[in-house]
Amino acid sequence: MEVQKTHLLGKTLDELKAIAKETGMPSFTGGQMAKWLYEQHVRSIDDMTNISKRNREALGEKFDIGCAAPIDEQRSLDGTVKYLFPTEDGKFVETVYIPEDDRATLCVSSQVGCKMNCLFCQTGKQGFHGNLTATDILNQIYSLPERDKLTNIVFMGQGEPMDNLDNVLRTTELLTAKYGYAWSPKRITVSSVGVRNKLKRFLEESECHVAISLHSPFADQRAELMPAQRGMPIEDVVELLRNYDFSHQRRLSFEYIVFGGLNDTKEHAREITRLLKGLYCRVNLIRFHKIPNVPLHEASEERMEEFRDYLTHHGIFTTIRASRGQDIFAACGLLSTAKQLSGTAPR
């Protein structure tokens, strides 16, 4: 019977030092392992060539790297690439690479499916099938073919990041630690529907940017679009956010999918202005992409521009986000691995 090995990918420096000691190696070997993992991105313990062959063999008896290449990819006409990654427990998750001029953003997933079941999101329609481990999350970056081109990472793929907070925080620690990827926290944005207690912890334990899914400033309507509103009212979320300073390096944004004839009126814009008054933030307007059996419609370009101009005129910096990868179902709200979960994943 094959022994299940523990993955090194996703381990902190202290954990790698403990592994070194456990395996009979000096503590500084943990630092060597960190460099091989997070700077060199080795795919095998045998590639850690400044560790003796005997020690590599001892390490390899219980541990492996834990990385896994994507098993499928789809390329959009606009250059966006959607990758399908396997997870530790045999499921699959989608990740989207978005190149644009001198920037390259990776949209990573934190769960297989999602519990939040937002009306407009394809991911929620497949149900919830488990949290990704830190290894699973980090592997989406580690094994990305375009890894060295990345300038930004957004936790806006499948799942609610705050619902898997321990593993998201571990991943952002590894991305920002000097011994890890040594990225600035301002290159990373983590989204949330507003899981209040988890959001508070994230704000206090991380310096990464925050993006809150708004989609309607009116409680009843937001609850119809986002069932999470019933347990996490947006007024409470905004009140929590007012306790933190977003006027310097850290950025706060609100994501707002614009639905034609539903949440694109002047009353909505006026209420957003009231809700966010005095809060240092921005609003990103997002085009809706039609999904099956959902009675929502895309707003016109003219209406989106009017909405943007109203908010901007009333002191809220607002942009219309460019839609990318719609032809390969990689745009906002379209990620789903339901087919892969049913056993039809490509091999």
Side-chain angles (χ1 to χ4, degrees):
M1 182 177 176
E2 187 176 349
V3 177
Q4 184 70 33
K5 295 183 179 181
T6 300
H7 302 319
L8 296 179
L9 181 61
K11 299 295 185 187
T12 65
L13 180 58
D14 286 344
E15 289 169 336
L16 292 171
K17 287 180 177 179
I19 286 170
K21 186 176 180 181
E22 171 192 329
T23 318
M25 297 183 281
S27 176
F28 70 79
T29 310
Q32 293 175 316
M33 284 191 276
K35 285 183 179 294
W36 284 115
L37 286 168
Y38 304 124
E39 291 184 20
Q40 301 300 320
H41 296 94
V42 294
R43 305 196 68 81
S44 167
I45 289 173
D46 286 336
D47 295 332
M48 299 180 175
T49 52
N50 63 349
I51 299 175
S52 72
K53 188 172 187 291
R54 181 176 63 81
N55 282 336
R56 277 180 276 152
E57 288 175 350
L59 196 59
E61 289 178 4
K62 295 182 179 179
F63 301 92
D64 61 16
I65 301 299
C67 57
I71 63 170
D72 190 38
E73 65 181 65
Q74 293 177 269
R75 294 184 175 269
S76 169
L77 294 174
D78 64 22
T80 300
V81 188
K82 183 170 69 172
Y83 290 103
L84 183 68
F85 281 97
T87 67
E88 285 193 69
D89 60 357
K91 298 184 178 70
F92 304 91
V93 71
E94 291 183 330
T95 307
V96 182
Y97 172 73
I98 310 165
E100 183 177 11
D101 299 327
D102 59 347
R103 291 166 57 90
T105 300
L106 189 68
C107 181
V108 301
S109 295
S110 56
Q111 296 180 311
V112 181
C114 185
K115 295 177 183 177
M116 299 304 156
N117 196 26
C118 296
L119 178 63
F120 49 82
C121 182
Q122 188 68 40
T123 304
K125 306 304 176 204
Q126 77 178 68
F128 175 68
H129 296 274
N131 286 327
L132 298 187
T133 64
T135 303
D136 289 328
I137 300 173
L138 198 60
N139 182 59
Q140 296 169 67
I141 303 156
Y142 196 93
S143 297
L144 184 79
E146 299 88 353
R147 179 191 62 236
D148 294 336
K149 298 178 182 178
L150 290 178
T151 60
N152 299 84
I153 291 172
V154 294
F155 284 74
M156 296 182 181
Q158 292 174 259
E160 162 57 52
M162 300 300 155
D163 202 31
N164 187 16
L165 184 55
D166 287 341
N167 288 317
V168 168
L169 282 173
R170 175 180 283 263
T171 303
T172 57
E173 176 187 341
L174 292 166
L175 289 171
T176 57
K178 289 183 178 179
Y179 68 83
Y181 281 70
W183 276 35
S184 165
K186 63 183 179 181
R187 296 173 64 182
I188 304 167
T189 300
V190 179
S191 69
S192 178
V193 299
V195 184
R196 197 176 190 281
N197 292 337
K198 300 286 185 69
L199 179 60
K200 183 177 188 295
R201 183 180 157 204
F202 177 80
L203 289 165
E204 293 175 355
E205 295 184 24
S206 170
E207 297 179 358
C208 296
H209 296 324
V210 182
I212 301 297
S213 298
L214 177 56
H215 310 312
S216 177
F218 297 112
D220 289 347
Q221 187 179 64
R222 188 171 186 261
E224 291 176 3
L225 294 169
M226 306 169 63
Q229 163 70 17
R230 298 185 181 95
M232 309 165 218
I234 190 61
E235 293 273 6
D236 290 356
V237 173
V238 171
E239 195 60 35
L240 169 67
L241 293 166
R242 292 188 186 280
N243 297 317
Y244 300 87
D245 183 5
F246 297 99
S247 63
H248 299 292
Q249 293 291 316
R250 188 179 218 178
R251 187 172 67 234
L252 169 64
S253 59
F254 288 87
E255 309 295 294
Y256 195 90
I257 298 177
V258 187
F259 306 107
L262 183 70
N263 67 347
D264 59 350
T265 69
K266 185 168 287 188
E267 288 73 24
H268 286 83
R270 189 180 297 122
E271 183 64 10
I272 290 173
T273 301
R274 184 203 64 78
L275 178 68
L276 304 184
K277 184 178 181 180
L279 190 60
Y280 200 93
C281 64
R282 66 176 62 191
V283 171
N284 295 321
L285 302 181
I286 303 169
R287 292 172 180 83
F288 173 61
H289 303 288
K290 189 70 177 173
I291 63 174
N293 305 315
V294 172
L296 297 171
H297 305 282
E298 184 178 354
S300 68
E301 190 69 22
E302 179 182 7
R303 181 54 65 92
M304 290 189 71
E305 290 174 358
E306 289 174 354
F307 206 87
R308 176 199 61 196
D309 293 346
Y310 181 96
L311 293 177
T312 300
H313 180 72
H314 288 81
I316 299 176
F317 178 66
T318 304
T319 62
I320 298 175
R321 182 186 293 169
S323 182
R324 301 290 300 274
Q326 187 174 357
D327 57 324
I328 57 169
F329 297 94
C332 183
L334 297 182
L335 298 187
S336 174
T337 47
K339 288 184 179 179
Q340 286 78 31
L341 286 165
S342 66
T344 58
R347 298 295 178 188

